[in-house]
Amino acid sequence: MTELISHLRSAVGAAHVLTEGDLAAWETDWRKRTRGKALAVVRPASTDEVAAVVRACAAAGAPIVPQGGNTGLVVGGVPDASGREVVLSLTRLNRVRGIDRDNLTMTVDAGCVLQNLQQAAADAGLLFPLSLAAEGSCTIGGNLATNAGGTQVVRYGNTRELCLGLEVVTAQGEVWNGLSGLRKDNTGYDLRDLFIGSEGTLGVITGATMKLYPRPAATLTAWAAVPSMQAAVTLLGLAHRHLGAGLTGFEVMGQFALSLVAKHYPQLRVPLYESVPYCVLLENADAESQEHARSVFERLLEVALEDGCAADAVVAENLTQAHQLWHIREAIPLAQAEEGLNIKHDISIPVSRIPAFCAETDALLQREIAGVRLVNFGHLGDGNLHYNVQAPAGGDMKAFLDENEERVNTLVYEQVKRFDGSISAEHGIGMLKAGKLPQYKSKVALSMMQALKRALDPENILNPGRVVAL
Amino acid sequence: MTELISHLRSAVGAAHVLTEGDLAAWETDWRKRTRGKALAVVRPASTDEVAAVVRACAAAGAPIVPQGGNTGLVVGGVPDASGREVVLSLTRLNRVRGIDRDNLTMTVDAGCVLQNLQQAAADAGLLFPLSLAAEGSCTIGGNLATNAGGTQVVRYGNTRELCLGLEVVTAQGEVWNGLSGLRKDNTGYDLRDLFIGSEGTLGVITGATMKLYPRPAATLTAWAAVPSMQAAVTLLGLAHRHLGAGLTGFEVMGQFALSLVAKHYPQLRVPLYESVPYCVLLENADAESQEHARSVFERLLEVALEDGCAADAVVAENLTQAHQLWHIREAIPLAQAEEGLNIKHDISIPVSRIPAFCAETDALLQREIAGVRLVNFGHLGDGNLHYNVQAPAGGDMKAFLDENEERVNTLVYEQVKRFDGSISAEHGIGMLKAGKLPQYKSKVALSMMQALKRALDPENILNPGRVVAL
């Protein structure tokens, strides 16, 4: 291994091969579920250096764990405990290579922090719409490797839909320049989308060309109380019809989730939630003007109130009020942590089936596990729920989790399967769910995934054991 | 081979295995460039029958050529002349399996004709936005296999962006049920997008779940004369800003292309083209109302006229006028055929570089080939040009083509390469361009494509030789 370290040092400079001292920042996952042990943390500064690192590791048979901002939620970007894996950190590749206003694209290094890219687009008078909780530290390379979702998916799609081209270092240490500002290119297989979402197991993303959009003239936020999940789905349909592509956010929040926010953050003043099972947060981005945004939004809510799918509603009067409403939505995960331990799920279900899924699964869990409390919220516009399970009030929460976590997961995942859903809508598979995948993915799909992994990474050098086991 | 035919007959019924009589409809490509010879044309009626056909062919080592409506433009869906290939026609799989209004999706058989799907969506009060010239006979399976583009890409994307899930028969004759109404699903590699655009070389698409959209309240069309290609690009930027996602079409047409329409179809009365090098056709789909659509459209054109990027403009007063404007755009290919033989290209270039590309390539061709005439038009909003080359007026056009076609292609493709473009934006590779690909695709990309082909179709049974040679 000394030879490998020395090759890595000559590839990226000795200062950027870390083997001693506190490497916890690279070895511990975001939610602090695991702490691994890296052979080394290597921090190349260019695509060519990444390629040299991959070639050195491949020659030595050392597994590589690509890492961006290390904010992933499925233990996909940290080393295992073997001490054999090399963490390949991309954060020094942090240059915006160029912004093309006429083409509405931005070409960037993989290690750029998401928030910096939002800002770079804004500075050019444009919008880069990807937005998620970790945006202050996650990198675009990580967003691409995990096909991150976020709050604007209902309008702009996942990270996949925002990407036009990639630069990738292959498992053989070759550079594929697939950077493209093209919106149409039918010259062969879709390599781009194969790397997106593959969590560093097929290649190392080093650069990307991303789509930009005009900045909307106005963005308005509304809050509606709805009498049922079915009513929320009906309201979503009305919102699509009235706002068209102006609908940029549609979040649903269960009453218990909101009650936790009200309890732990009373200063946030949660509106309209006390007499209804769900509230909905809607966002409307308008290409025209503030006045126009307000008039179509008010018309929508008028129709929804007449229809009965909304029981009550308010439109934020100004930006401050809009931020307050979003703040409530974003405070749910914090409030549930304040309340105590809980079991998290990141699932998706066809939108039309969500009401039945929630009714059945709520009842099932309450029947099976006495006192269990359901913190249900998420991106209803995308069919994506964070369907979380909170330990019963009082009692020993740790003991509850130890006893019930596996069982709760199985109950929820089996329901997801029955409803043709996904056990990981946004967060990916990583190490955390790699063992679960064979139960919830078809044999045919799994065997194709294995064949693809073997085809592109025959030595199983890239993030081995994550996503798909060979 | 008698044994294979007998297996095929028991798989789909003797009536649906055609080996005699006139098979020209399946053996000749759409543009009648080639006539192949099939061992048999097999017409299964279900996914299971498709799987049985694939297994029978695989066991016999007989290559399979999947075929939809046979409207492809790159000789990708017809058999070669060997008499060894089995044409697998999907047209009897023509059922709409279901429409899910709340989920905004439609699940359909691969053999459904595109126009029937547009109609099925309309009957449900929704929009299926894929639209292209061959829609009366092309099938959705073919659209998916070739990742078809069309006229609405600037708003809704290519066929890829409209697809949420696939059902595919693998090269081993297994059925992968990847039909999904999910908008978020990060459980492993993106198999869906690997099959989309692979032109039947990796698997046989038998079904798909496609996105639907609300129908716009109003659709308006405008026509603008622009003083240069750069002005057209500037107008495109203004249109994005003013119309947001309301911009559903942005077509550019060169003066010579329009003069051919005026010459051969004088009744179409081409507006505003006589004093400018290009005209632009814009379409605005509005979620709100006819009045609103008109007011934002007129505002856009006002700004464009002030800016100078538009020299003159008209908004269609009614649907008839709008159809007339689109008719002019659609008449260009017909008018150039009336004018005589020509060399067609389907290229894409980053939008920002199109003005320089056209200026340079126009000059290059005129310098290299005396009297050559350029019929340039296309989907500027997507960076996609049909940059066609018409033989000089008078003279022997056939002789001109025989002498110059290869040279013209090379000149244009080399320019495309210099401008980081694609030699096939919409139409794919098929047999027609498979030989060209190695010159215009990187070695690294090609070798990954070959590895993927070997991984999923190790016996090279599916559409061999198309797209990528092994």
Side-chain angles (χ1 to χ4, degrees), chain B residues 7-194:
Chain B
H7 283 151
L8 293 173
R9 286 190 178 132
S10 53
V12 304
H16 302 298
V17 179
L18 316 180
T19 54
E20 288 171 6
D22 185 6
L23 302 180
W26 294 274
E27 292 176 333
T28 310
D29 77 296
W30 188 245
R31 277 157 89 180
K32 304 201 191 325
R33 283 165 178 268
T34 60
R35 165 83 193 254
K37 173 85 191 85
L39 177 69
V41 174
V42 188
R43 306 181 64 232
S46 70
T47 301
D48 287 342
E49 287 188 11
V50 172
V53 168
V54 171
R55 286 195 301 270
C57 290
I64 298 163
V65 179
Q67 188 182 87
N70 193 16
T71 63
L73 298 174
V74 291
V75 194
V78 288
D80 65 16
S82 70
R84 291 182 54 242
E85 298 188 328
V86 172
V87 172
L88 170 50
S89 168
L90 279 299
T91 53
R92 289 180 67 223
L93 277 77
N94 58 7
R95 207 164 41 93
V96 174
R97 300 190 194 174
I99 289 183
D100 183 338
R101 282 188 182 79
D102 279 341
N103 199 42
L104 290 172
T105 51
M106 164 164 74
T107 298
V108 302
D109 282 353
C112 290
V113 169
L114 174 52
Q115 203 165 62
N116 296 345
L117 297 185
Q118 296 166 345
Q119 190 57 51
D123 292 345
L126 294 166
L127 174 73
F128 181 57
L130 186 63
S131 176
L132 44 89
E135 63 197 21
S137 46
C138 65
T139 64
I140 190 67
N143 300 147
L144 286 158
T146 59
N147 186 29
T151 57
Q152 305 275 299
V153 175
V154 70
R155 163 66 182 99
Y156 297 101
N158 299 289
T159 308
R160 179 185 307 290
E161 283 79 34
L162 294 171
C163 180
L164 291 176
L166 291 181
E167 180 188 79
V168 171
V169 171
T170 69
Q172 294 74 37
E174 293 189 293
V175 178
W176 171 52
N177 182 345
L179 293 176
S180 151
L182 302 177
R183 283 172 164 77
K184 282 184 175 174
D185 179 15
N186 282 341
T187 55
Y189 304 154
D190 183 7
L191 302 173
R192 175 191 68 201
D193 285 310
L194 190 55

Side-chain angles (χ1 to χ4, degrees), chain A residues 100 103 146-147 158 160 183-187 189-190 201 288 292 348 351-352 384 422 424 426 441, chain B residues 100 103 146-147 158 160 183-187 189-190 201 288 292 348 351-352 384 422 424 426 441:
Chain A
D100 184 338
N103 199 44
T146 58
N147 187 27
N158 299 289
R160 180 185 306 289
R183 283 174 164 77
K184 282 185 178 173
D185 180 13
N186 282 341
T187 55
Y189 303 154
D190 183 7
T201 63
E288 194 174 337
H292 182 254
S348 63
V351 171
S352 51
N384 179 194
S422 165
S424 186
E426 292 193 308
K441 197 100 182 168
Chain B
D100 183 338
N103 199 42
T146 59
N147 186 29
N158 299 289
R160 179 185 307 290
R183 283 172 164 77
K184 282 184 175 174
D185 179 15
N186 282 341
T187 55
Y189 304 154
D190 183 7
T201 64
E288 195 174 337
H292 182 255
S348 64
V351 172
S352 51
N384 179 194
S422 165
S424 185
E426 293 193 307
K441 198 99 183 169

Side-chain angles (χ1 to χ4, degrees), chain B residues 157-289:
Chain B
N158 299 289
T159 308
R160 179 185 307 290
E161 283 79 34
L162 294 171
C163 180
L164 291 176
L166 291 181
E167 180 188 79
V168 171
V169 171
T170 69
Q172 294 74 37
E174 293 189 293
V175 178
W176 171 52
N177 182 345
L179 293 176
S180 151
L182 302 177
R183 283 172 164 77
K184 282 184 175 174
D185 179 15
N186 282 341
T187 55
Y189 304 154
D190 183 7
L191 302 173
R192 175 191 68 201
D193 285 310
L194 190 55
F195 289 113
I196 295 175
S198 70
E199 304 185 30
T201 64
L202 299 178
V204 181
I205 296 171
T206 51
T209 300
M210 307 300 297
K211 292 185 195 167
L212 299 175
Y213 289 84
R215 298 186 75 75
T219 301
L220 280 187
T221 304
W223 183 281
V226 297
S228 65
M229 185 62 95
Q230 181 55 54
V233 169
T234 303
L235 177 56
L236 174 63
L238 284 178
H240 277 303
R241 200 144 70 244
H242 281 258
L243 308 179
L247 182 66
T248 47
F250 196 98
E251 303 284 311
V252 70
M253 299 153 288
Q255 188 183 47
F256 179 65
L258 291 173
S259 78
L260 290 182
V261 175
K263 177 177 167 187
H264 296 287
Y265 305 104
Q267 72 281 17
L268 292 182
R269 281 173 298 156
V270 183
L272 308 180
Y273 78 101
E274 282 176 319
S275 58
V276 286
Y278 294 97
C279 287
V280 161
L281 184 65
L282 303 93
E283 191 183 79
N284 174 30
D286 196 280
E288 195 174 337
S289 67

Side-chain angles (χ1 to χ4, degrees), chain A residues 100 102-104 125 146-150 153 155 158 160-161 170 174-177 180-199 201-202 211 214-215 230 233-234 236-237 240-246 287-288 292 295-296 348-353 379 381-384 419-429 437 441-442 444-453 455-456 466-468, chain B residues 100 102-104 125 146-150 153 155 158 160-161 170 174-177 180-199 201-202 211 214-215 230 233-234 236-237 240-246 287-288 292 295-296 348-353 379 381-384 419-429 437 441-442 444-453 455-456 466-468:
Chain A
D100 184 338
D102 280 341
N103 199 44
L104 290 172
T146 58
N147 187 27
V153 175
R155 163 66 182 97
N158 299 289
R160 180 185 306 289
E161 282 81 34
T170 69
E174 294 189 292
V175 179
W176 171 51
N177 182 344
S180 151
L182 302 178
R183 283 174 164 77
K184 282 185 178 173
D185 180 13
N186 282 341
T187 55
Y189 303 154
D190 183 7
L191 302 172
R192 175 190 70 201
D193 286 308
L194 189 56
F195 288 112
I196 295 175
S198 70
E199 303 186 31
T201 63
L202 299 179
K211 292 184 195 169
R215 297 187 76 75
Q230 181 55 54
V233 169
T234 303
L236 174 63
H240 277 302
R241 202 144 68 241
H242 280 258
L243 308 178
E288 194 174 337
H292 182 254
S295 90
V296 293
S348 63
I349 307 281
V351 171
S352 51
R353 305 187 71 186
H379 317 293
D382 323 318
N384 179 194
F419 280 85
D420 299 324
S422 165
I423 64 163
S424 186
E426 292 193 308
H427 299 163
I429 299 297
L437 206 54
K441 197 100 182 168
S442 79
V444 180
L446 272 176
S447 89
M448 285 195 282
M449 284 170 56
Q450 289 166 330
L452 297 173
K453 171 71 173 171
L456 296 187
R466 284 74 171 179
V467 185
V468 61
Chain B
D100 183 338
D102 279 341
N103 199 42
L104 290 172
T146 59
N147 186 29
V153 175
R155 163 66 182 99
N158 299 289
R160 179 185 307 290
E161 283 79 34
T170 69
E174 293 189 293
V175 178
W176 171 52
N177 182 345
S180 151
L182 302 177
R183 283 172 164 77
K184 282 184 175 174
D185 179 15
N186 282 341
T187 55
Y189 304 154
D190 183 7
L191 302 173
R192 175 191 68 201
D193 285 310
L194 190 55
F195 289 113
I196 295 175
S198 70
E199 304 185 30
T201 64
L202 299 178
K211 292 185 195 167
R215 298 186 75 75
Q230 181 55 54
V233 169
T234 303
L236 174 63
H240 277 303
R241 200 144 70 244
H242 281 258
L243 308 179
E288 195 174 337
H292 182 255
S295 92
V296 293
S348 64
I349 309 280
V351 172
S352 51
R353 305 186 72 187
H379 317 293
D382 322 317
N384 179 194
F419 280 84
D420 299 324
S422 165
I423 64 164
S424 185
E426 293 193 307
H427 300 163
I429 299 298
L437 206 55
K441 198 99 183 169
S442 81
V444 181
L446 272 176
S447 90
M448 286 194 281
M449 283 170 54
Q450 288 165 332
L452 297 173
K453 170 71 174 171
L456 296 187
R466 282 74 169 181
V467 184
V468 61

Side-chain angles (χ1 to χ4, degrees), chain B residues 285-454:
Chain B
D286 196 280
E288 195 174 337
S289 67
Q290 181 82 14
E291 297 66 42
H292 182 255
R294 189 167 294 273
S295 92
V296 293
F297 224 11
E298 285 174 351
R299 177 76 190 125
L300 162 65
L301 295 172
E302 214 172 278
V303 171
L305 290 167
E306 272 166 35
D307 172 274
C309 68
D312 202 350
V314 286
V315 179
E317 284 300 321
N318 50 46
L319 223 55
T320 312
Q321 280 187 16
H323 284 157
Q324 277 167 354
L325 294 176
W326 274 106
H327 198 161
I328 293 166
R329 158 65 181 84
E330 283 154 11
I332 296 175
L334 307 171
Q336 67 180 2
E338 290 286 336
E339 184 69 9
L341 293 173
N342 56 78
I343 305 166
K344 291 187 166 64
H345 301 109
D346 162 44
I347 59 174
S348 64
I349 309 280
V351 172
S352 51
R353 305 186 72 187
I354 283 182
F357 171 85
C358 290
E360 273 191 30
T361 314
D362 289 4
L364 174 73
L365 287 169
Q366 272 151 356
R367 203 165 58 232
E368 293 285 321
I369 302 169
V372 88
R373 300 177 297 167
L374 298 167
V375 182
N376 187 4
F377 65 101
H379 317 293
L380 185 64
D382 322 317
N384 179 194
L385 296 178
H386 297 302
Y387 189 85
N388 299 341
V389 176
Q390 193 97 24
D396 182 342
M397 296 195 180
K398 181 72 173 58
F400 173 84
L401 244 69
D402 288 345
E403 194 181 328
N404 291 289
E405 180 156 20
E406 192 58 32
R407 188 156 149 246
V408 166
N409 286 341
T410 303
L411 286 169
V412 171
Y413 289 165
E414 288 297 324
Q415 281 290 101
V416 168
K417 191 175 180 177
R418 265 179 26 77
F419 280 84
D420 299 324
S422 165
I423 64 164
S424 185
E426 293 193 307
H427 300 163
I429 299 298
M431 272 295 188
L432 192 68
K433 293 183 182 170
K436 286 258 175 284
L437 206 55
Q439 287 163 257
Y440 299 103
K441 198 99 183 169
S442 81
K443 276 205 175 63
V444 181
L446 272 176
S447 90
M448 286 194 281
M449 283 170 54
Q450 288 165 332
L452 297 173
K453 170 71 174 171
R454 281 195 203 98

